[in-house]
Amino acid sequence: MSQELEIEFKNLLTPSEFEQLIAHFHVEPEAFHLQHNHYFDTKEQALRHLKSGLRIRQTPTKNEVTLKEPTNGIALTETTDSLTLDEAEAILQGTQDFPEGDVKNRLQSLHIDSKELQKIGTLSTNRAEIKYKGGLLVFDYSQYADQEDYELEYEVQDEVSGRFIFQELLQSLHVPVRPAKKKLARFMQAIQNKKE
């Protein structure tokens, strides 16, 4: 289990800007890996009403469940527990409840019964990461609900210096500022749009 503060800046990109940034930072194709974010909520959208999100993330090397909750500013508190591949698959198939751990304990403190959680969909991302000026620069190509987008993220420890570095980077590469919502918010909007 780990609990940490997530501070990140996001900017949507056009496909050509994405390619430009990959070339600028010499990101090789083999640096990218595919990850799947499977999102969960109750039928009544209890987590969404709390401006929180729950996901199981599967990558080639790990499976984990993360609960994200708002804190002050742009930061989120993330509570994460590791899962075995078998646990993750059983939860996704609806044959097993979330295991005991810090995420489940945190859900209980929010008065959310993990047995009422259901998978609402999957967002798949091809991702590469590089270290950049004390933070982590993340290149994401995501597909979800018949949509796709390209995004640059900058994960940092300090909001003030991180914001400055990220804005300076976009400006230096002539990338227009297009603030992006969190992936879960974009995913939920796309799901809503499909229903309408």
Side-chain angles (χ1 to χ4, degrees):
M1 186 311 266
S2 68
Q3 191 169 53
E4 60 183 37
L5 211 56
E6 176 190 72
I7 302 172
E8 64 184 14
F9 299 94
K10 298 169 164 285
N11 200 74
L12 289 176
L13 304 169
T14 65
S16 61
E17 289 165 352
F18 189 76
E19 294 300 326
Q20 171 198 345
L21 285 166
I22 288 171
H24 178 81
F25 286 102
H26 308 290
V27 181
E28 298 297 327
E30 56 271 17
F32 283 87
H33 67 273
L34 186 62
Q35 64 183 32
H36 303 288
N37 289 337
H38 308 284
Y39 294 109
F40 291 79
D41 207 339
T42 66
K43 197 173 182 181
E44 298 77 25
Q45 298 186 326
L47 286 167
R48 188 176 187 191
H49 292 310
L50 294 170
K51 295 185 173 24
S52 299
L54 181 71
R55 69 156 189 243
I56 288 178
R57 173 171 284 172
Q58 295 186 293
T59 75
T61 58
K62 66 181 176 183
N63 296 271
E64 61 188 17
V65 57
T66 300
L67 175 66
K68 295 189 178 195
E69 300 175 78
T71 55
N72 55 354
I74 67 163
L76 293 173
T77 298
E78 289 189 343
T79 305
T80 301
D81 286 323
S82 293
L83 299 172
T84 66
L85 178 59
D86 287 343
E87 285 174 327
E89 292 297 331
I91 295 166
L92 291 169
Q93 292 167 14
T95 58
Q96 178 181 317
D97 189 13
F98 287 84
E100 296 301 321
D102 292 289
V103 170
K104 191 168 185 176
N105 291 342
R106 188 71 200 122
L107 288 167
Q108 288 170 344
S109 71
L110 295 171
H111 307 291
I112 294 174
D113 184 348
S114 61
K115 291 183 178 66
E116 293 182 11
L117 292 166
Q118 51 192 2
K119 181 181 162 189
I120 53 177
T122 299
L123 181 148
S124 298
T125 299
N126 210 17
R127 166 173 284 190
E129 304 171 341
I130 61 169
K131 289 182 170 39
Y132 181 74
K133 295 191 176 181
L136 191 67
L137 207 53
V138 181
F139 306 84
D140 280 350
Y141 166 61
S142 297
Q143 296 174 294
Y144 53 98
D146 300 330
Q147 295 202 33
E148 61 181 16
D149 62 39
Y150 298 84
E151 173 185 28
L152 183 67
E153 290 184 6
Y154 189 45
E155 299 177 7
V156 295
Q157 298 297 315
D158 179 75
E159 183 176 342
V160 175
S161 63
R163 184 184 310 277
F164 177 79
I165 292 167
F166 191 59
Q167 289 174 343
E168 188 177 60
L169 170 64
L170 294 176
Q171 189 174 30
S172 70
L173 295 175
H174 309 290
V175 175
V177 175
R178 298 184 201 96
K181 293 180 179 178
K182 300 280 183 195
K183 283 184 176 63
L184 176 57
R186 299 198 314 261
F187 172 80
M188 292 303 294
Q189 184 62 56
I191 294 288
Q192 187 63 38
N193 291 346
K194 278 187 79 171
K195 291 178 181 175
E196 293 173 356

